[in-house]
């Protein structure tokens, strides 16, 4: 099902590009604040700061203010799970529909929403033992989520924005328990993430 959704999104984006009046390439980067949420208190995490950077393609349609933005972003973040530091490395592919609301010929605000595909490119399993308790934290190889965002564009080249990312499905499995006992599983691990970004288009 995810592959079908991905194909539909990409075909729609290609169709928009063909019909577009304006196509811009640029670079986007920024920070993300993520909090991992578990369905019990075995694992605890705090808000953690990460960063992302990568190319961005923005397409404006011949319909007032409508467009689409596609990016490929390398994302890295660190957070602690039960005192253990874990580094997550992934490629984010957001595909957002946009509505630009100009306040002048070159400046205005925009709102955006769309799916985001995430692919893990770093370690996907972390194990440690503490006080005879064996812990395992395993990241999914891919994840699907939705972005809701807004921002300002200050010229034809520069824009600043923010987005809230909603995970659709779990992104990690957590397991704990003594090695000699049956392990307890926590497979409902969902992050809450805010993105703050700046983009420069050539």
């Amino acid at each position: 099902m995810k592959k079908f959704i991905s194909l539909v999104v990409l075909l729609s984006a290609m169709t928009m590009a063909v019909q577009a009046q304006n196509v811009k390439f640029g670079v986007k980067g920024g920070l993300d604040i993520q909090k991992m949420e578990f369905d019990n208190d075995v694992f605890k995490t705090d808000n953690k700061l990460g960063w992302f950077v990568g190319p961005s393609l923005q397409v404006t349609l011949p319909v007032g203010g409508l467009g689409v933005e596609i990016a490929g972003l390398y994302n890295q973040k660190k957070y602690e799970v039960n005192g253990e530091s874990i580094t997550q490395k992934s490629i984010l592919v957001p595909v957002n529909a946009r509505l630009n609301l100009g306040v002048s010929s070159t400046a205005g605000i925009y709102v955006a929403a769309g799916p985001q595909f995430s692919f893990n490119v770093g370690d996907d399993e972390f194990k440690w033992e503490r006080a005879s308790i064996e812990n395992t934290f395993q990241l999914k190889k891919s994840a699907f989520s939705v972005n809701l965002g807004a921002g300002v564009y200050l010229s034809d080249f520069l824009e600043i924005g923010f987005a809230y990312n909603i995970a659709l499905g779990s992104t990690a499995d957590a397991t704990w328990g003594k090695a000699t006992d049956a392990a307890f599983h926590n497979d409902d691990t969902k992050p809450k993430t805010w993105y703050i970004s700046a983009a420069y288009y050539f």
Side-chain angles (χ1 to χ4, degrees):
M1 184 63 179
K2 288 183 179 179
K3 291 183 178 179
F4 175 75
I5 294 174
S6 302
L7 180 60
V8 170
V9 170
L10 291 176
L11 288 176
S12 299
M14 291 173 64
T15 301
M16 289 180 177
V18 171
Q19 298 175 344
Q21 287 183 329
N22 188 16
V23 178
K24 297 191 295 185
F25 293 93
V27 177
K28 173 178 279 193
L31 303 174
D32 69 71
I33 301 173
Q34 183 180 85
K35 182 178 178 65
M36 298 292 287
E37 290 205 336
F38 299 86
D39 60 9
N40 60 40
D41 293 328
V42 175
F43 292 88
K44 294 182 181 295
T45 63
D46 297 320
N47 291 331
K48 293 299 177 181
L49 191 66
W51 57 271
F52 58 91
V53 66
S56 179
L57 168 68
Q58 191 177 127
V59 176
T60 302
L61 302 180
V63 179
L66 292 177
V68 65
E69 179 186 3
I70 305 172
L73 307 171
Y74 174 77
N75 180 223
Q76 182 170 311
K77 60 175 66 73
K78 287 187 177 182
Y79 40 80
E80 291 187 356
V81 181
N82 267 14
E84 290 291 323
S85 179
I86 291 175
T87 300
Q88 181 180 6
K89 301 176 182 179
S90 56
I91 300 296
L92 308 179
V93 184
V95 184
N96 292 322
R98 290 171 52 112
L99 175 62
N100 294 335
L101 304 170
V103 296
S104 71
S105 59
T106 59
I109 63 175
Y110 70 86
V111 292
Q116 177 170 289
F117 308 91
S118 176
F119 304 95
N120 183 38
V121 295
D123 294 336
D124 60 2
E125 185 173 83
F126 304 87
K127 288 180 177 289
W128 67 94
E129 187 171 320
R130 180 174 297 156
S132 300
I133 301 296
E134 186 178 85
N135 301 275
T136 300
F137 187 78
Q138 188 172 40
L139 293 163
K140 302 290 187 182
K141 296 186 181 299
S142 62
F144 180 70
S145 57
V146 172
N147 286 321
L148 301 174
V152 296
Y153 53 97
L154 306 175
S155 67
D156 288 333
F157 309 103
L158 180 65
E159 64 180 43
I160 299 171
F162 67 91
Y164 180 63
N165 182 261
I166 304 169
L168 301 180
S170 63
T171 61
D173 293 327
T175 303
W176 70 283
K178 293 182 179 179
T180 57
D181 297 334
F184 295 90
H185 293 271
N186 179 331
D187 59 2
D188 191 20
T189 309
K190 296 181 181 180
K192 291 184 175 181
T193 307
W194 283 95
Y195 295 108
I196 302 172
S197 66
Y200 184 84
Y201 291 95
F202 306 105

